[in-house]
């Protein structure tokens, strides 16, 4: 009883620490996102907490939702027009990741993001669909509270929705990649040099994008390079960096965003960010699937080569996988037992026949009595 109580307290303590850590990450990332706010000091074109919330639910399960709710409340308490409005906005910020999580689980999403269907599910279900909840509840709450003018609802809604969606598309893949990140074994020095060159090129293109030159398209060759050479581990951080530089340019009205109103800037910015995230995720997933298929083909070719070698050596038994070999061994043991039992019955019958013949012979040889 005492052991069970201690284990329950340990689990409760671990859950409380996870909730506090997620709340702290949510709050800290929200403060970073608010550095580029565009509407009323609280609506930003990239909302990293939404990506952190979705990743937390995918990695730790639905039990960590109180951390998301606590972080959302702490962020909005200093921004909202009133306490009921703050509670409504925090509820929307909590329900949106929960909806994304449920949709992704129902679609059979895997956190490895190594399949094309996983990338598509994260984009269209986790990002674009799930974040409709937070944008609608948040913008509607501000409108009902009188914090928005009647003509500002749709621009605010568009920035809110695309900001939350971009948080899922560019932040969640980075966190999922970090979960399985490890130092590559037997990596050549040229591999590290290529990674450093990719990082330097991304930074250089980012400074160009954030400047006055309309060179947003230069980010796509980098995303293609990162996806083909490093899969998700390279494509996700590259997409996050390119999107961040584009958001800075959009907030400062520089480069291709100069001379446009808020709605036009947001459409241009989020079209670019969505295209960049979609390109990175889909290419990384396709390359991962291709690599997995190549490994399976190489494994099958190895088995066929082993079978050919055994046949050439005169052994016509097929080369089977380990599991099948173990099953065959068990079948052989059962067959040997059965054969052994049959041989024993045959020997016993032969002994009985020999004994009967000996008795009959001895009876015939006895002299008659009389």
């Amino acid at each position: 009883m005492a052991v069970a109580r201690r284990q329950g307290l340990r689990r409760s303590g671990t859950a409380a620490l996870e909730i506090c850590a997620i709340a702290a990450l949510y709050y800290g990332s929200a403060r970073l996102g608010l550095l580029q706010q565009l509407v009323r000091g609280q609506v930003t074109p990239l909302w990293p907490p939404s990506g952190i919330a979705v990743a937390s639910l995918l990695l730790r399960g639905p039990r960590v939702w109180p951390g998301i709710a606590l972080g959302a409340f702490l962020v909005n308490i200093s921004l909202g027009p009133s306490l009921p409005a703050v509670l409504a906005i925090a509820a929307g910020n909590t329900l949106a990741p929960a909806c994304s999580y449920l949709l992704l689980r129902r679609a059979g999403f895997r956190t490895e993001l190594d399949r094309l269907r996983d990338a598509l599910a994260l984009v269209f279900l986790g990002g674009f669909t799930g974040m409709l909840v937070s944008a609608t509840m948040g913008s509607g709450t501000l409108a009902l509270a009188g914090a928005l003018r009647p003509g500002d609802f749709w621009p605010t809604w568009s920035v809110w929705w695309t900001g939350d969606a971009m948080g899922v598309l560019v932040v969640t893949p980075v966190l999922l990649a970090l979960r399985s990140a490890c130092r590559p074994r037997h990596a050549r020095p040229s591999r590290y040099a290529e990674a450093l060159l990719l990082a330097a090129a991304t930074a250089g293109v980012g400074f160009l994008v954030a400047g006055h030159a309309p060179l947003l398209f230069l980010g796509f060759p980098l995303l293609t390079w990162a996806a083909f050479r490093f899969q998700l581990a390279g494509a996700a951080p590259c997409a996050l960096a390119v999107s961040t530089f584009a958001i800075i340019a959009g907030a400062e009205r520089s480069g291709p965003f100069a001379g446009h109103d808020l709605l036009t800037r947001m459409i241009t910015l989020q079209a670019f960010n969505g295209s960049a995230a979609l390109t990175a995720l889909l290419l990384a997933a396709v390359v991962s699937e291709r690599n997995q298929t190549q490994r399976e083909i190489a494994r099958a070719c190895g088995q066929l080569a082993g079978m050919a070698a055994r046949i050439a050596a005169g052994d016509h038994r097929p080369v089977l996988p380990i599991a099948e070999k173990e099953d065959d061994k068990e079948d052989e043991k059962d067959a040997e037992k059965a054969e052994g039992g049959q041989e024993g019955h045959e020997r016993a019958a032969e002994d009985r026949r020999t004994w009967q013949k000996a008795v009959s012979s001895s009876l015939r040889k006895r002299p008659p009595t009389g």
Side-chain angles (χ1 to χ4, degrees):
M1 196 68 180
V3 174
R5 188 181 297 109
R6 285 196 298 270
Q7 291 178 351
L9 291 174
R10 188 179 298 110
R11 287 194 294 267
S12 300
T14 302
L17 287 176
E18 288 181 351
I19 290 172
C20 292
I22 291 172
L25 288 174
Y26 192 103
Y27 182 83
S29 62
R31 287 300 174 185
L32 289 176
L34 290 173
L35 295 177
Q36 298 298 329
Q37 56 80 25
L38 296 179
V39 179
R40 205 188 163 277
Q42 67 184 103
V43 183
T44 174
L46 177 62
W47 189 242
S50 61
I52 292 176
V54 173
S56 300
L57 292 172
L58 290 173
L59 297 177
R60 306 306 302 169
R63 68 176 183 273
V64 300
W65 73 265
I68 301 171
L70 178 59
F73 177 79
L74 292 177
V75 171
N76 289 284
I77 191 63
S78 61
L79 303 174
S82 62
L83 182 59
V86 168
L87 293 176
I89 293 173
N93 290 341
T94 306
L95 289 175
C99 290
S100 297
Y101 169 77
L102 294 176
L103 290 173
L104 290 174
R105 284 306 180 198
R106 188 170 183 82
F109 178 80
R110 294 196 317 198
T111 57
E112 291 80 8
L113 269 176
D114 56 355
R115 300 180 302 176
L116 182 60
R117 58 178 294 185
D118 297 329
L120 292 174
L122 183 64
V123 172
F124 293 103
L125 297 180
F128 293 153
T129 303
M131 296 302 115
L132 291 171
V133 177
S134 58
T136 303
M137 291 185 65
S139 301
T141 299
L142 293 179
L144 293 175
L148 292 178
R149 294 176 297 179
D152 291 340
F153 175 80
W154 288 113
T156 302
W157 184 91
S158 65
V159 176
W160 199 310
W161 175 59
T162 51
D164 284 357
M166 288 307 106
V168 175
L169 296 188
V170 302
V171 176
T172 299
V174 173
L175 297 178
L176 296 180
L178 287 176
R179 174 179 176 266
S180 58
C182 60
R183 183 178 179 181
R185 297 180 179 179
H186 311 295
R188 294 173 295 180
S190 59
R191 187 72 167 171
Y192 293 101
E194 184 180 4
L196 291 176
L197 182 60
L198 175 62
T202 303
V205 170
F207 284 115
L208 290 176
V209 170
H212 297 286
L215 299 174
L216 288 177
F217 60 88
L218 291 179
F220 288 96
L222 297 176
L223 295 173
T224 305
W225 178 12
F228 271 97
R229 295 295 294 163
F230 302 98
Q231 287 80 61
L232 184 65
C238 187
L240 176 60
V242 170
S243 298
T244 301
F245 284 114
I247 288 169
I248 294 174
E252 296 180 353
R253 301 185 180 185
S254 61
F257 305 101
H260 299 287
D261 59 2
L262 176 61
L263 185 59
T264 303
R265 281 187 289 144
M266 287 305 98
I267 292 175
T268 304
L269 175 61
Q270 303 305 6
F272 170 78
N273 286 340
S275 301
L278 193 63
T279 300
L281 292 178
L282 294 184
L283 278 179
V286 168
V287 173
S288 297
E289 283 189 340
R290 182 202 65 180
N291 294 341
Q292 180 64 25
T293 302
Q294 289 179 345
R295 287 191 292 267
E296 292 176 357
I297 292 174
R299 190 181 303 113
C301 290
Q303 293 178 358
L304 291 175
M307 292 174 60
R310 294 174 69 91
I311 292 173
D315 188 352
H316 297 283
R317 291 177 298 176
V319 179
L320 300 174
I322 297 176
E324 297 182 7
K325 288 181 179 180
E326 295 295 334
D327 294 339
D328 290 345
K329 289 181 181 179
E330 295 295 333
D331 295 339
E332 290 177 0
K333 291 181 181 179
D334 294 338
E336 289 176 359
K337 290 181 181 178
E339 291 176 0
Q342 183 67 24
E343 291 177 359
H345 289 303
E346 292 177 356
R347 285 196 298 270
E350 183 67 25
D351 292 340
R352 285 195 298 271
R353 287 193 295 270
T354 303
W355 180 78
Q356 290 174 355
K357 290 179 180 179
V359 171
S360 300
S361 176
S362 63
L363 289 176
R364 286 196 297 269
K365 292 179 179 180
R366 291 177 59 186
T369 58

